Amino acid sequence: MFAVMLQEKGEMEEAGIMFGQCGILKESLACLRHTTQSHLALSIAAQLNLPTDQVSGLAEQLADNLKREGNYKEAAKLFDRYCDNIDEAVEVLCEGGLYSDALELSQMRKRVDLVSDIMSSLKLQADTTHTLLDEKCENVQKFLLRIEVVKTRRSMVGTGFEDMDHSDLYSDITSVTATSAASTSSRRSAKSSKGRRKQEKKKFSLKEGSKYEYFAIQEAFKQIMVFLRDEKLKIRDMVNILLLQGFRDHAHKLLKSQEELVTLVNKNVGVIWPSPVPDVVEEGGEEGEVEPVSHPPGFNLFVWSLKQFAGC
């Protein structure tokens, strides 16, 4: 039976659907309980008329599956609705940084005693985020210093890429090539693949003086911009809740560190990505090497400030 084959291969969602189509509901549920398809699994459980305690156990397992996949909101719903475990639901929401949802749920269930736990988690997360923002601010300052050094070095040696000292990279490539030449055909292929992966990894190495340092700095700077974009709403949510709950100092410290980093990044995008220059090709072989090109991300960062700090 095809469903059994899928089950043996570990393709539980597909196997569960197949068993369900065949009307073999127990096997369908046995497969679906190992997936994140909570609505399907609970629907099958209802058709089987499972007792409450078994439904609760099923929901708990599904919630754990969802949590592992980062779907904290759906996991919390299962803990609340099917397991009658508001404490675990709130804990999961806090773990996912969903503090507004955690507060709403605690108030909806008239569990105001959980508010202090939520705020303790939030203050800890705010402090952690503040520290992370400060670390990224330090990294940006280091990138700015290094990229000026790299630019100066490139201007002194000519076009920059092909004239710089890449002995560390060439020694690695030579080593891989030598090893490959002495091995079997399949081993040569494996070594070649390993060499390509190693060379690709070197493109993102921030080691001072490395062949691709210029590109690596640009890409690392870009990752900080992506981080700021992705965390913007989460930080705003944290700041608002901290203010509403009377933790003004925590809110101000977090917002200040965010503003400083956003301002520093916006100010220096043109330094990291100056006016476009032609691709630099390394000479010395039939297969010339084109320097990897980094482009700035296609979005802008905005400094978000709260008028609420003007005070009561």
Side-chain angles (χ1 to χ4, degrees), residues 149-166 170 209-214 277-283 289 291-292:
V149 172
V150 175
K151 284 179 182 177
T152 301
R153 186 181 174 197
R154 288 160 71 104
S155 66
M156 290 173 63
V157 298
T159 54
F161 187 63
E162 73 275 16
D163 298 315
M164 295 176 73
D165 181 12
H166 308 319
Y170 293 145
S210 64
K211 181 175 184 178
Y212 300 106
E213 186 181 3
Y214 191 84
V277 295
D279 291 343
V280 180
V281 180
E282 183 180 19
E283 299 177 354
E289 185 177 0
E291 180 179 15

Side-chain angles (χ1 to χ4, degrees), residues 130 133-134 251-261:
H130 163 71
L133 289 166
D134 282 352
H252 184 265
K253 185 171 70 171
L254 177 58
L255 187 58
K256 186 171 183 292
S257 60
Q258 183 197 34
E259 286 181 347
E260 288 176 354
L261 180 55

Side-chain angles (χ1 to χ4, degrees), residues 178-198:
T179 304
S180 300
S183 60
T184 63
S185 177
S186 60
R187 187 170 178 80
R188 282 201 303 271
S189 178
K191 286 289 183 181
S192 176
S193 177
K194 184 178 180 180
R196 284 195 299 272
R197 290 196 301 271
K198 190 172 183 179

Side-chain angles (χ1 to χ4, degrees), residues 8-208:
E8 290 173 350
K9 289 172 64 177
E11 297 179 13
M12 294 301 185
E13 182 178 333
E14 293 82 355
I17 298 297
M18 185 67 70
F19 278 124
Q21 286 181 320
C22 299
I24 310 174
L25 298 185
K26 287 186 178 180
E27 284 298 325
S28 176
L29 182 58
C31 294
L32 290 173
R33 73 185 304 126
H34 296 290
T35 73
T36 56
Q37 299 299 323
S38 55
H39 58 294
L40 295 178
L42 290 166
S43 174
I44 297 294
Q47 293 179 59
L48 289 169
N49 293 314
L50 291 186
T52 304
D53 61 328
Q54 290 186 30
V55 173
S56 178
L58 171 65
E60 186 173 342
Q61 182 177 352
L62 292 166
D64 287 336
N65 297 343
L66 288 163
K67 189 167 67 168
R68 279 195 297 271
E69 294 295 320
N71 195 338
Y72 296 99
K73 196 165 188 174
E74 287 302 314
K77 278 184 185 178
L78 295 182
F79 280 122
D80 177 39
R81 295 179 183 177
Y82 293 93
C83 305
D84 194 26
N85 192 341
I86 178 67
D87 297 82
E88 186 68 25
V90 166
E91 184 177 330
V92 167
L93 289 170
C94 289
E95 185 180 338
L98 302 171
Y99 297 103
S100 291
D101 294 286
L103 285 170
E104 181 183 2
L105 184 59
S106 66
Q107 291 160 359
M108 187 185 305
R109 297 290 181 257
K110 301 189 185 304
R111 287 290 305 278
V112 292
D113 58 299
L114 292 174
V115 173
S116 61
D117 293 335
I118 295 169
M119 294 312 300
S120 294
S121 175
L122 174 54
K123 285 189 290 182
L124 180 62
Q125 183 59 46
D127 289 341
T128 300
T129 304
H130 163 71
T131 300
L132 184 59
L133 289 166
D134 282 352
E135 288 174 358
K136 290 187 180 297
C137 196
E138 291 176 7
N139 287 339
V140 169
Q141 291 167 341
K142 290 176 184 177
F143 295 158
L144 293 171
L145 290 174
R146 277 306 304 171
I147 207 161
E148 289 303 324
V149 172
V150 175
K151 284 179 182 177
T152 301
R153 186 181 174 197
R154 288 160 71 104
S155 66
M156 290 173 63
V157 298
T159 54
F161 187 63
E162 73 275 16
D163 298 315
M164 295 176 73
D165 181 12
H166 308 319
S167 57
D168 64 323
L169 179 73
Y170 293 145
S171 64
D172 288 333
I173 295 175
T174 302
S175 175
V176 170
T177 304
T179 304
S180 300
S183 60
T184 63
S185 177
S186 60
R187 187 170 178 80
R188 282 201 303 271
S189 178
K191 286 289 183 181
S192 176
S193 177
K194 184 178 180 180
R196 284 195 299 272
R197 290 196 301 271
K198 190 172 183 179
Q199 187 171 355
E200 184 66 24
K201 186 177 179 181
K202 281 181 174 288
K203 291 180 181 179
F204 299 91
S205 170
L206 290 167
K207 177 183 175 183
E208 293 187 4

